[in-house]
Amino acid sequence: MRPLPDPFRVFLASGESSGDGLGAGLMRHLRQQATGDVLFTGIGGPLMESEGLHSLFPSSELAIIGPTAVVPRLPHLWRRLKQSVRFILDNPPDVLVLIDCPEFTQRIARRVRRVRPDIMIIKYVAPQAWAWRAGRVPRMRAHLDHIMAFLPFEPEFYARLNGPETTYVGHPMIEKVGLMRAPDGGGTGAGDRPVLLILPGSRRSEIDHLMGIFGETVKQVSVHTGPLEVLIPAVAHLEADITKRAAAWPVPVTILRGEDEKWQGFRRARAALAASGTVSLELALARVPMVIAYKVEPWSAIIMRRLIKTSTVVLANLVIGRNVVPEFLQERARPDLMAAALAELIAGGPARDAQLAAFAGLDHLMGIGTGSPSERAARVVIEAYQRRVETGT
């Protein structure tokens, strides 16, 4: 491969705090792997700026949640979109990397592609088209040259649907396996009481729908198993609400605050009851057997059932390739059903053994121990650009 330009010009766009971390890690490793200087411009937060990004405007301007918040901001967002596209066209980068805020960054990609098809455009974090709206995948080829995926099954999915070339680089959480996984299996609390980890979600709507059900489930589990040590990691913006609701539970609860306490809870847990989400993959990597539940308003459930095309909503099941983690959704999110499943996991037996055996294969599936995701992502950006220059496509 021919050497990179010096400087190698990279424009990155991110609007969320999680994307700011991803962008910063990518920038750090691009600088380490490049043969010359790397010039970073784009849209980012404090972490990306600390790595040398010249940000056109604060990325926090894009972190707007909910349609009622977006509507009054549309004129300003439209001006920021035009500003970003104008800057890219006037100062063309070698590579354009889009991280999050798809409604904003996809518009950048489409407008840049129409005028400058020679600029390579890479999406960092694959859109979850495997869950819904799979029909958009072939259309992504029009404005994306490459996708860097977090989940190991995504490259095959995008290839099967004739999407952009996709490479698995790894999920950021794999870098935290050493923090979340107990070296000795964990699972015992004070006085030999089993530790039950409860993760009711990070959205207020999830807390509203699940905390009451989870409290009754814990009560019924303790009837089967005897006294438990119950731990709830609470995200900061919901900590007061979770603490208040947990105080009404018929069993004592310890609230875990901050990431360090959360990972301590993971290392000690015998089993977990969690809302569906990324946390199921965290628990699987930590090798904590679990039961997953989710509940939304009836009208939302109707829409979700029409949109979601996978056989499971549990991310850990999707990565493993089979449904080893039980899920209790909507009308099946009943305390008696969940308590019975949890009691079996706590006591031990075939169900627990099946989950642990499946979780043991995740290190290989997710490439743990073969380099950090940021390091792989930087390598993909450089090699994809070099191939494009060599082949002229």
Side-chain angles (χ1 to χ4, degrees):
M1 294 288 185
R2 68 178 62 183
L4 295 174
D6 190 1
F8 184 46
R9 301 176 185 272
V10 182
F11 187 102
L12 304 101
S14 170
E16 299 174 9
S17 58
S18 59
D20 189 33
L22 289 174
L26 175 61
M27 292 168 64
R28 185 164 52 253
H29 284 282
L30 280 172
R31 192 181 298 107
Q32 292 172 4
Q33 296 182 32
T35 51
D37 288 338
V38 187
L39 180 63
F40 297 112
T41 55
I43 307 158
L47 295 177
M48 293 170 69
E49 289 180 334
S50 71
E51 291 293 336
L53 179 78
H54 168 68
S55 189
L56 302 186
F57 53 86
S59 62
S60 57
E61 293 185 16
L62 304 181
I64 303 170
I65 300 174
T68 57
V70 169
V71 171
R73 299 276 293 164
L74 282 176
H76 179 73
L77 293 173
W78 185 255
R79 286 193 296 272
R80 288 306 198 192
L81 174 64
K82 292 173 66 176
Q83 175 189 358
S84 303
V85 172
R86 188 184 311 115
F87 181 89
I88 293 169
L89 296 179
D90 290 345
N91 306 273
D94 298 302
V95 178
L96 172 57
V97 180
L98 310 175
I99 300 174
D100 49 28
C101 294
E103 295 301 321
F104 187 87
T105 57
Q106 285 179 14
R107 284 174 169 79
I108 291 178
R110 293 189 182 102
R111 285 161 174 74
V112 169
R113 180 50 50 95
R114 281 199 295 265
V115 181
R116 290 294 303 265
D118 57 310
I119 295 176
M120 185 168 204
I121 303 177
I122 296 177
K123 182 75 176 73
Y124 191 10
V125 189
Q128 293 184 344
W130 40 267
W132 56 76
R133 293 176 58 205
R136 60 186 154 148
V137 169
R139 297 194 296 272
M140 292 179 190
R141 294 176 64 94
H143 59 278
L144 293 179
D145 298 299
H146 205 104
I147 295 174
M148 299 192 293
F150 274 9
L151 302 173
F153 62 83
E154 289 176 323
E156 188 278 331
F157 169 82
Y158 276 89
R160 179 161 41 86
L161 294 186
N162 195 33
E165 183 180 3
T166 303
T167 303
Y168 171 66
V169 297
H171 200 290
M173 75 174 67
I174 69 178
E175 297 182 5
K176 299 181 178 180
V177 165
L179 298 174
M180 64 174 72
R181 185 183 295 172
D184 59 354
T188 301
D192 293 330
R193 290 177 297 159
V195 174
L196 178 60
L197 196 63
I198 305 295
L199 300 116
S202 58
R203 299 182 178 94
R204 190 164 300 280
S205 60
E206 293 170 335
I207 302 302
D208 290 341
H209 284 107
L210 295 174
M211 275 295 286
I213 297 171
F214 281 8
E216 179 60 28
T217 301
V218 171
K219 176 184 176 182
Q220 295 191 27
V221 172
S222 63
V223 172
H224 293 286
T225 64
L228 298 166
E229 184 177 358
V230 181
L231 309 178
I232 304 182
V235 292
H237 67 284
L238 294 175
E239 181 185 322
D241 192 12
I242 290 173
T243 301
K244 180 179 178 180
R245 293 172 188 254
W249 287 12
V251 296
V253 173
T254 299
I255 303 297
L256 306 180
R257 298 169 176 86
E259 191 168 84
D260 288 346
E261 289 191 9
K262 173 184 174 180
W263 298 139
Q264 289 175 21
F266 273 56
R267 293 195 298 270
R268 298 183 59 224
R270 173 73 175 175
L273 171 61
S276 179
T278 305
V279 71
S280 73
L281 190 53
E282 291 178 341
L283 289 165
L285 286 169
R287 299 179 181 171
V288 178
M290 75 193 90
V291 166
I292 295 296
Y294 211 73
K295 195 167 186 177
V296 295
E297 298 294 342
W299 62 269
S300 295
I302 293 171
I303 295 172
M304 289 174 62
R305 282 170 174 153
R306 290 180 180 273
L307 291 177
I308 295 176
K309 303 302 181 182
T310 57
S311 62
T312 175
V313 301
V314 179
L315 187 56
N317 285 342
L318 290 168
V319 173
I320 291 166
R322 60 186 189 280
N323 296 350
V324 296
V325 175
E327 54 193 309
F328 298 88
L329 312 178
Q330 288 305 106
E331 62 276 0
R332 293 194 72 248
R334 289 168 30 193
D336 59 327
L337 298 178
M338 295 188 291
L342 277 169
E344 188 175 1
L345 294 178
I346 292 170
R352 180 181 180 86
D353 293 343
Q355 287 198 31
L356 290 175
F359 298 164
L362 282 172
D363 284 14
H364 174 73
L365 282 173
M366 300 193 71
I368 295 175
T370 59
S372 76
S374 296
E375 180 183 359
R376 295 180 209 159
R379 187 163 59 246
V380 168
V381 169
I382 290 172
E383 292 179 353
Y385 173 79
Q386 289 176 323
R387 284 197 305 272
R388 184 184 178 94
V389 172
E390 289 288 333
T391 62
T393 58

Coordinates of all heavy atoms in Angstrom, one line a residue, residues 118-194:
D118 N -15.5 11.6 -4.6 CA -14.1 11.1 -4.4 C -13.8 11.0 -2.9 O -12.8 10.3 -2.5 CB -13.1 11.9 -5.1 CG -13.2 13.4 -4.7 OD1 -14.3 14.0 -4.7 OD2 -12.1 14.0 -4.4
I119 N -14.5 11.7 -2.1 CA -14.2 11.7 -0.6 C -14.8 10.4 0.0 O -15.9 10.1 -0.1 CB -14.9 12.9 0.1 CG1 -14.2 14.2 -0.4 CG2 -14.7 12.8 1.6 CD1 -14.9 15.5 0.2
M120 N -13.9 9.7 0.6 CA -14.3 8.4 1.3 C -15.1 8.7 2.5 O -14.7 9.5 3.4 CB -13.1 7.6 1.6 CG -13.4 6.2 2.2 SD -12.0 5.1 2.2 CE -12.8 3.5 2.2
I121 N -16.3 8.0 2.6 CA -17.2 8.2 3.8 C -17.3 6.9 4.5 O -17.7 5.8 4.0 CB -18.6 8.7 3.3 CG1 -18.4 10.0 2.5 CG2 -19.5 8.9 4.5 CD1 -19.7 10.5 2.0
I122 N -17.0 6.9 5.8 CA -17.0 5.7 6.7 C -18.0 5.9 7.8 O -18.0 7.0 8.5 CB -15.6 5.4 7.2 CG1 -14.7 5.0 6.1 CG2 -15.7 4.2 8.2 CD1 -13.3 4.7 6.5
K123 N -18.9 5.0 8.1 CA -19.8 5.0 9.2 C -19.2 4.2 10.4 O -18.9 3.0 10.2 CB -21.1 4.4 8.8 CG -22.2 4.5 10.0 CD -22.7 5.9 10.2 CE -23.8 5.9 11.2 NZ -23.3 5.7 12.6
Y124 N -19.0 4.8 11.5 CA -18.5 4.2 12.7 C -19.7 3.8 13.6 O -20.3 4.7 14.2 CB -17.5 5.1 13.4 CG -16.6 4.4 14.5 CD1 -16.6 3.1 14.7 CD2 -15.8 5.2 15.3 CE1 -15.8 2.5 15.7 CE2 -15.0 4.7 16.3 CZ -15.0 3.3 16.5 OH -14.2 2.7 17.4
V125 N -20.0 2.6 13.7 CA -21.1 2.0 14.4 C -22.2 1.7 13.4 O -22.8 2.7 12.8 CB -21.7 2.8 15.6 CG1 -22.8 2.0 16.3 CG2 -20.6 3.3 16.5
A126 N -22.5 0.5 13.1 CA -23.4 0.1 12.1 C -24.9 0.4 12.5 O -25.2 0.1 13.7 CB -23.3 -1.4 11.8
P127 N -25.7 1.0 11.7 CA -27.1 1.1 12.0 C -27.7 -0.2 12.3 O -27.4 -1.2 11.6 CB -27.7 1.8 10.7 CG -26.5 2.4 10.0 CD -25.3 1.6 10.4
Q128 N -28.6 -0.3 13.2 CA -29.2 -1.6 13.6 C -30.3 -2.0 12.7 O -31.4 -2.3 13.1 CB -29.7 -1.5 15.1 CG -28.6 -1.3 16.1 CD -29.1 -1.4 17.5 OE1 -30.3 -1.2 17.8 NE2 -28.2 -1.5 18.4
A129 N -30.0 -2.1 11.4 CA -30.9 -2.5 10.4 C -31.3 -3.9 10.5 O -32.4 -4.3 10.0 CB -30.3 -2.2 9.0
W130 N -30.6 -4.8 11.2 CA -30.9 -6.1 11.5 C -32.1 -6.3 12.4 O -32.8 -7.3 12.4 CB -29.7 -6.9 12.1 CG -29.0 -6.2 13.1 CD1 -27.8 -5.4 12.9 CD2 -29.3 -6.0 14.5 NE1 -27.4 -4.8 14.1 CE2 -28.3 -5.2 15.1 CE3 -30.3 -6.6 15.3 CZ2 -28.3 -4.9 16.4 CZ3 -30.2 -6.2 16.7 CH2 -29.3 -5.4 17.2
A131 N -32.4 -5.2 13.1 CA -33.6 -5.2 14.0 C -34.8 -4.6 13.3 O -35.9 -5.1 13.5 CB -33.3 -4.4 15.3
W132 N -34.7 -3.6 12.6 CA -35.8 -3.0 11.8 C -35.3 -2.2 10.6 O -34.2 -1.8 10.5 CB -36.6 -2.1 12.8 CG -35.9 -1.0 13.4 CD1 -35.4 0.2 12.8 CD2 -35.4 -1.0 14.8 NE1 -34.8 0.9 13.7 CE2 -34.7 0.3 14.9 CE3 -35.5 -1.8 15.8 CZ2 -34.2 0.6 16.1 CZ3 -35.0 -1.5 17.0 CH2 -34.3 -0.3 17.2
R133 N -36.2 -2.1 9.7 CA -35.9 -1.3 8.4 C -34.7 -1.9 7.7 O -33.8 -1.2 7.2 CB -35.8 0.1 8.7 CG -37.0 0.8 9.2 CD -36.7 2.3 9.6 NE -36.2 3.0 8.4 CZ -35.5 4.1 8.5 NH1 -35.1 4.6 9.7 NH2 -35.1 4.7 7.4
A134 N -34.7 -3.2 7.5 CA -33.6 -3.8 6.7 C -33.6 -3.4 5.3 O -32.6 -3.4 4.6 CB -33.7 -5.4 6.8
G135 N -34.7 -2.9 4.8 CA -34.8 -2.5 3.4 C -33.9 -1.3 3.0 O -33.6 -1.1 1.9
R136 N -33.4 -0.6 4.1 CA -32.6 0.6 3.8 C -31.1 0.2 3.5 O -30.3 1.0 3.0 CB -32.6 1.5 5.0 CG -32.2 0.9 6.3 CD -32.3 1.8 7.5 NE -32.5 1.0 8.7 CZ -32.0 1.4 9.9 NH1 -31.5 2.6 10.0 NH2 -32.2 0.7 10.9
V137 N -30.8 -1.1 3.8 CA -29.4 -1.5 3.7 C -28.8 -1.3 2.3 O -27.7 -0.6 2.1 CB -29.2 -3.0 4.1 CG1 -27.8 -3.5 3.8 CG2 -29.4 -3.0 5.6
P138 N -29.4 -1.8 1.2 CA -28.8 -1.5 -0.1 C -28.7 -0.1 -0.5 O -27.7 0.3 -1.2 CB -29.8 -2.2 -1.1 CG -30.5 -3.2 -0.2 CD -30.6 -2.6 1.1
R139 N -29.6 0.8 0.0 CA -29.5 2.2 -0.3 C -28.4 2.9 0.4 O -27.9 4.0 -0.1 CB -30.8 2.9 0.1 CG -32.1 2.4 -0.6 CD -33.3 3.3 -0.4 NE -33.7 3.4 1.0 CZ -34.6 2.5 1.5 NH1 -35.1 1.5 0.8 NH2 -34.9 2.7 2.8
M140 N -27.8 2.3 1.4 CA -26.7 2.9 2.1 C -25.4 3.0 1.2 O -24.6 3.8 1.4 CB -26.4 2.1 3.4 CG -27.4 2.2 4.5 SD -26.9 1.2 5.9 CE -28.4 1.3 6.9
R141 N -25.4 2.1 0.2 CA -24.2 2.1 -0.6 C -24.0 3.4 -1.4 O -22.9 3.7 -1.8 CB -24.3 0.9 -1.6 CG -24.3 -0.5 -1.0 CD -24.5 -1.6 -2.1 NE -23.4 -1.6 -3.1 CZ -22.3 -2.3 -3.0 NH1 -22.2 -3.2 -2.0 NH2 -21.4 -2.3 -3.9
A142 N -25.1 4.1 -1.6 CA -25.1 5.3 -2.3 C -24.3 6.4 -1.6 O -23.7 7.3 -2.3 CB -26.5 5.9 -2.6
H143 N -24.2 6.4 -0.3 CA -23.5 7.4 0.4 C -22.5 6.9 1.4 O -21.8 7.8 2.1 CB -24.5 8.4 1.1 CG -25.4 7.8 2.1 ND1 -26.5 7.1 1.7 CD2 -25.3 7.7 3.4 CE1 -27.1 6.7 2.8 NE2 -26.4 7.0 3.8
L144 N -22.3 5.6 1.6 CA -21.3 5.1 2.5 C -20.4 4.1 1.8 O -20.9 3.2 1.1 CB -22.0 4.3 3.7 CG -22.9 5.2 4.7 CD1 -23.5 4.2 5.7 CD2 -22.1 6.3 5.3
D145 N -19.1 4.3 2.0 CA -18.1 3.4 1.4 C -17.8 2.2 2.3 O -17.4 1.1 1.8 CB -16.8 4.1 1.1 CG -17.1 5.2 0.1 OD1 -17.5 4.9 -1.0 OD2 -16.8 6.4 0.5
H146 N -17.9 2.4 3.6 CA -17.5 1.4 4.6 C -18.2 1.6 5.9 O -18.5 2.7 6.3 CB -16.0 1.4 4.8 CG -15.4 0.1 5.2 ND1 -14.7 -0.7 4.4 CD2 -15.4 -0.6 6.4 CE1 -14.3 -1.8 5.0 NE2 -14.7 -1.7 6.3
I147 N -18.5 0.5 6.6 CA -19.1 0.5 7.9 C -18.2 -0.2 8.9 O -17.7 -1.3 8.6 CB -20.5 -0.1 7.9 CG1 -21.5 0.7 7.0 CG2 -21.1 -0.2 9.3 CD1 -22.9 0.1 6.9
M148 N -18.0 0.4 10.0 CA -17.2 -0.3 11.1 C -18.2 -0.7 12.2 O -18.9 0.1 12.8 CB -16.2 0.6 11.7 CG -15.2 1.0 10.6 SD -13.7 1.8 11.3 CE -14.3 3.4 11.9
A149 N -18.3 -2.1 12.4 CA -19.4 -2.6 13.2 C -19.0 -3.0 14.6 O -17.8 -3.4 14.8 CB -20.0 -3.9 12.5
F150 N -19.9 -2.9 15.5 CA -19.7 -3.2 16.9 C -20.0 -4.7 17.2 O -19.5 -5.3 18.2 CB -20.6 -2.4 17.8 CG -20.1 -1.1 18.2 CD1 -18.9 -0.6 17.6 CD2 -20.7 -0.3 19.2 CE1 -18.4 0.7 18.0 CE2 -20.2 0.9 19.6 CZ -19.1 1.4 19.0
L151 N -20.8 -5.3 16.4 CA -21.3 -6.7 16.7 C -20.8 -7.7 15.6 O -20.8 -7.4 14.4 CB -22.8 -6.7 16.8 CG -23.4 -5.7 17.8 CD1 -24.9 -5.7 17.7 CD2 -23.0 -6.2 19.2
P152 N -20.4 -8.9 16.0 CA -19.7 -9.8 15.1 C -20.6 -10.3 14.0 O -20.1 -10.7 12.9 CB -19.2 -10.9 16.0 CG -19.9 -10.8 17.2 CD -20.3 -9.4 17.4
F153 N -21.9 -10.3 14.1 CA -22.8 -10.8 13.1 C -23.1 -9.8 12.0 O -23.7 -10.1 11.0 CB -24.1 -11.4 13.7 CG -24.9 -10.4 14.4 CD1 -25.8 -9.6 13.7 CD2 -24.9 -10.3 15.8 CE1 -26.6 -8.7 14.4 CE2 -25.7 -9.4 16.5 CZ -26.5 -8.6 15.8
E154 N -22.8 -8.5 12.3 CA -23.2 -7.5 11.4 C -22.5 -7.5 10.0 O -23.2 -7.2 9.0 CB -23.0 -6.1 12.0 CG -24.0 -5.9 13.2 CD -23.8 -4.6 13.9 OE1 -22.6 -4.2 14.2 OE2 -24.8 -4.0 14.4
P155 N -21.2 -7.8 9.8 CA -20.7 -7.9 8.5 C -21.4 -8.9 7.6 O -21.7 -8.5 6.4 CB -19.2 -8.3 8.7 CG -18.9 -7.8 10.1 CD -20.2 -8.0 10.9
E156 N -21.7 -10.0 8.1 CA -22.5 -11.0 7.2 C -23.9 -10.5 6.9 O -24.3 -10.7 5.8 CB -22.6 -12.4 8.0 CG -23.1 -13.5 7.2 CD -24.6 -13.5 7.1 OE1 -25.3 -13.1 8.1 OE2 -25.2 -14.0 6.1
F157 N -24.5 -9.9 7.8 CA -25.8 -9.3 7.6 C -25.8 -8.3 6.5 O -26.6 -8.3 5.5 CB -26.4 -8.7 8.9 CG -27.6 -7.9 8.7 CD1 -28.9 -8.5 8.6 CD2 -27.6 -6.5 8.5 CE1 -30.0 -7.7 8.4 CE2 -28.7 -5.7 8.3 CZ -30.0 -6.4 8.2
Y158 N -24.9 -7.3 6.5 CA -24.8 -6.3 5.5 C -24.4 -6.9 4.2 O -24.9 -6.4 3.1 CB -23.8 -5.2 6.0 CG -24.5 -4.2 6.8 CD1 -24.6 -4.3 8.2 CD2 -25.2 -3.1 6.3 CE1 -25.2 -3.4 9.0 CE2 -25.8 -2.1 7.1 CZ -25.8 -2.3 8.5 OH -26.5 -1.4 9.3
A159 N -23.5 -7.9 4.2 CA -23.1 -8.5 2.9 C -24.3 -9.2 2.3 O -24.5 -9.2 1.0 CB -22.0 -9.5 3.1
R160 N -25.1 -9.9 3.1 CA -26.2 -10.7 2.6 C -27.3 -9.7 1.9 O -27.9 -10.1 0.9 CB -26.8 -11.5 3.7 CG -28.1 -12.3 3.3 CD -28.3 -13.4 4.4 NE -28.1 -13.0 5.7 CZ -29.0 -12.3 6.5 NH1 -30.2 -12.1 5.9 NH2 -28.8 -12.0 7.7
L161 N -27.4 -8.5 2.4 CA -28.4 -7.6 1.9 C -27.8 -6.6 0.9 O -28.4 -5.6 0.6 CB -29.1 -6.9 3.0 CG -30.0 -7.8 4.0 CD1 -30.7 -6.9 5.0 CD2 -30.9 -8.6 3.2
N162 N -26.6 -6.9 0.5 CA -25.9 -6.0 -0.5 C -25.7 -4.6 0.0 O -25.9 -3.6 -0.7 CB -26.7 -6.0 -1.8 CG -25.9 -5.5 -3.0 OD1 -24.7 -5.6 -3.1 ND2 -26.6 -4.8 -3.9
G163 N -25.3 -4.5 1.2 CA -25.0 -3.2 1.8 C -23.5 -2.8 1.6 O -22.8 -3.5 0.9
P164 N -23.1 -1.7 2.2 CA -21.7 -1.3 2.1 C -20.8 -2.3 2.7 O -21.2 -3.1 3.6 CB -21.7 0.0 2.9 CG -23.1 0.5 3.0 CD -23.9 -0.8 3.0
E165 N -19.5 -2.3 2.3 CA -18.5 -3.2 2.9 C -18.5 -2.9 4.4 O -18.4 -1.8 4.8 CB -17.2 -3.0 2.3 CG -16.1 -3.9 2.8 CD -14.7 -3.7 2.2 OE1 -14.6 -2.7 1.3 OE2 -13.8 -4.4 2.5
T166 N -18.5 -4.0 5.2 CA -18.6 -3.8 6.7 C -17.5 -4.7 7.3 O -17.3 -5.8 7.0 CB -20.0 -4.2 7.2 OG1 -21.0 -3.5 6.5 CG2 -20.1 -4.0 8.7
T167 N -16.9 -4.1 8.3 CA -15.8 -4.8 9.1 C -16.1 -4.7 10.6 O -16.5 -3.7 11.1 CB -14.4 -4.1 8.9 OG1 -14.1 -4.1 7.5 CG2 -13.4 -4.9 9.6
Y168 N -16.0 -5.9 11.2 CA -16.2 -5.9 12.7 C -15.0 -5.4 13.4 O -13.9 -5.9 13.1 CB -16.5 -7.3 13.1 CG -16.5 -7.5 14.6 CD1 -17.5 -6.9 15.4 CD2 -15.5 -8.3 15.3 CE1 -17.5 -7.0 16.8 CE2 -15.5 -8.4 16.6 CZ -16.5 -7.8 17.4 OH -16.5 -7.9 18.8
V169 N -15.1 -4.4 14.2 CA -14.0 -3.8 14.9 C -14.1 -4.1 16.4 O -13.0 -4.0 17.1 CB -13.8 -2.3 14.7 CG1 -13.5 -2.0 13.2 CG2 -15.0 -1.5 15.1
G170 N -15.3 -4.4 16.9 CA -15.4 -4.8 18.3 C -16.2 -3.7 19.1 O -16.2 -2.5 18.7
H171 N -16.9 -4.2 20.1 CA -17.7 -3.3 20.9 C -16.8 -2.7 22.0 O -16.0 -3.3 22.6 CB -18.8 -4.0 21.6 CG -19.9 -3.2 22.1 ND1 -19.8 -2.3 23.1 CD2 -21.2 -3.0 21.6 CE1 -20.9 -1.7 23.3 NE2 -21.8 -2.1 22.4
P172 N -17.0 -1.4 22.3 CA -16.1 -0.7 23.3 C -16.2 -1.4 24.7 O -15.2 -1.4 25.4 CB -16.7 0.7 23.4 CG -17.3 0.9 22.1 CD -17.9 -0.4 21.7
M173 N -17.3 -2.1 25.0 CA -17.4 -2.7 26.3 C -16.4 -3.9 26.5 O -16.1 -4.2 27.6 CB -18.8 -3.2 26.6 CG -19.2 -4.5 25.8 SD -20.8 -5.1 26.3 CE -21.9 -3.8 25.7
I174 N -15.8 -4.4 25.4 CA -14.9 -5.6 25.6 C -13.6 -5.1 26.3 O -12.9 -5.9 26.9 CB -14.6 -6.3 24.3 CG1 -13.8 -5.4 23.3 CG2 -15.9 -6.7 23.6 CD1 -13.4 -6.1 22.1
E175 N -13.4 -3.8 26.3 CA -12.2 -3.3 27.0 C -12.4 -3.3 28.5 O -11.4 -3.1 29.2 CB -11.9 -1.9 26.5 CG -11.5 -1.8 25.0 CD -11.1 -0.4 24.5 OE1 -11.1 0.5 25.4 OE2 -10.9 -0.3 23.3
K176 N -13.7 -3.5 28.9 CA -14.0 -3.4 30.4 C -14.2 -4.8 31.0 O -14.6 -4.9 32.1 CB -15.2 -2.5 30.6 CG -14.9 -1.1 30.2 CD -16.2 -0.2 30.4 CE -15.9 1.2 30.0 NZ -17.1 2.1 30.3
V177 N -13.9 -5.9 30.2 CA -14.2 -7.2 30.7 C -13.4 -7.5 32.0 O -14.0 -8.1 32.9 CB -13.8 -8.3 29.6 CG1 -13.7 -9.7 30.2 CG2 -14.8 -8.2 28.5
G178 N -12.2 -7.0 32.1 CA -11.4 -7.2 33.3 C -12.1 -6.6 34.5 O -11.9 -7.1 35.7
L179 N -12.8 -5.5 34.3 CA -13.5 -4.8 35.4 C -14.8 -5.5 35.8 O -15.2 -5.5 37.0 CB -13.8 -3.4 35.1 CG -12.6 -2.5 34.8 CD1 -13.1 -1.1 34.3 CD2 -11.7 -2.3 36.0
M180 N -15.5 -6.1 34.9 CA -16.8 -6.6 35.1 C -16.9 -8.1 35.5 O -17.9 -8.6 36.0 CB -17.8 -6.3 33.9 CG -17.4 -7.0 32.7 SD -18.6 -6.8 31.3 CE -18.3 -5.1 30.8
R181 N -15.8 -8.8 35.2 CA -15.9 -10.3 35.3 C -15.2 -10.7 36.6 O -14.0 -10.4 36.8 CB -15.3 -11.0 34.1 CG -15.4 -12.5 34.1 CD -14.7 -13.0 32.8 NE -15.3 -12.7 31.6 CZ -14.8 -12.9 30.4 NH1 -13.6 -13.5 30.3 NH2 -15.5 -12.6 29.3
A182 N -15.8 -11.5 37.4 CA -15.2 -12.0 38.6 C -14.3 -13.2 38.3 O -14.6 -14.1 37.5 CB -16.3 -12.5 39.6
P183 N -13.0 -13.1 38.8 CA -12.1 -14.2 38.5 C -12.5 -15.6 39.1 O -12.1 -16.6 38.6 CB -10.8 -13.7 39.1 CG -11.2 -12.7 40.2 CD -12.4 -12.1 39.7
D184 N -13.3 -15.5 40.2 CA -13.7 -16.8 40.8 C -15.1 -17.1 40.7 O -15.6 -18.0 41.4 CB -13.3 -16.7 42.3 CG -14.1 -15.5 43.0 OD1 -14.7 -14.8 42.3 OD2 -14.0 -15.4 44.2
G185 N -15.8 -16.4 39.8 CA -17.2 -16.7 39.6 C -18.2 -15.9 40.4 O -19.3 -15.7 40.0
G186 N -17.8 -15.3 41.5 CA -18.6 -14.4 42.3 C -19.9 -15.1 42.8 O -20.0 -16.3 42.9
G187 N -20.9 -14.2 43.1 CA -22.2 -14.7 43.3 C -22.6 -14.9 44.8 O -23.7 -15.2 45.1
T188 N -21.7 -14.6 45.7 CA -22.1 -14.8 47.1 C -22.0 -13.5 47.8 O -21.1 -12.7 47.7 CB -21.2 -15.8 47.8 OG1 -21.3 -17.0 47.2 CG2 -21.6 -16.0 49.3
G189 N -23.1 -13.2 48.6 CA -23.1 -11.9 49.3 C -22.8 -12.1 50.8 O -22.2 -13.1 51.2
A190 N -23.2 -11.1 51.6 CA -22.9 -11.2 53.0 C -23.7 -12.4 53.6 O -24.8 -12.6 53.3 CB -23.3 -9.9 53.7
G191 N -23.0 -13.1 54.5 CA -23.7 -14.3 55.1 C -24.1 -15.4 54.1 O -25.1 -16.1 54.4
D192 N -23.4 -15.5 53.0 CA -23.6 -16.5 52.0 C -25.0 -16.3 51.3 O -25.5 -17.2 50.7 CB -23.6 -17.9 52.6 CG -22.1 -18.3 53.0 OD1 -21.2 -17.7 52.4 OD2 -22.0 -19.0 54.0
R193 N -25.6 -15.1 51.4 CA -26.8 -14.9 50.6 C -26.4 -14.6 49.2 O -25.5 -13.9 48.9 CB -27.5 -13.6 51.2 CG -28.1 -13.8 52.6 CD -28.7 -12.5 53.0 NE -27.7 -11.5 53.2 CZ -27.9 -10.1 53.2 NH1 -29.2 -9.7 53.0 NH2 -27.0 -9.3 53.4
P194 N -27.1 -15.3 48.2 CA -26.8 -15.0 46.8 C -27.1 -13.6 46.5 O -28.0 -12.9 47.0 CB -27.8 -16.0 46.1 CG -28.2 -17.0 47.1 CD -28.2 -16.3 48.4

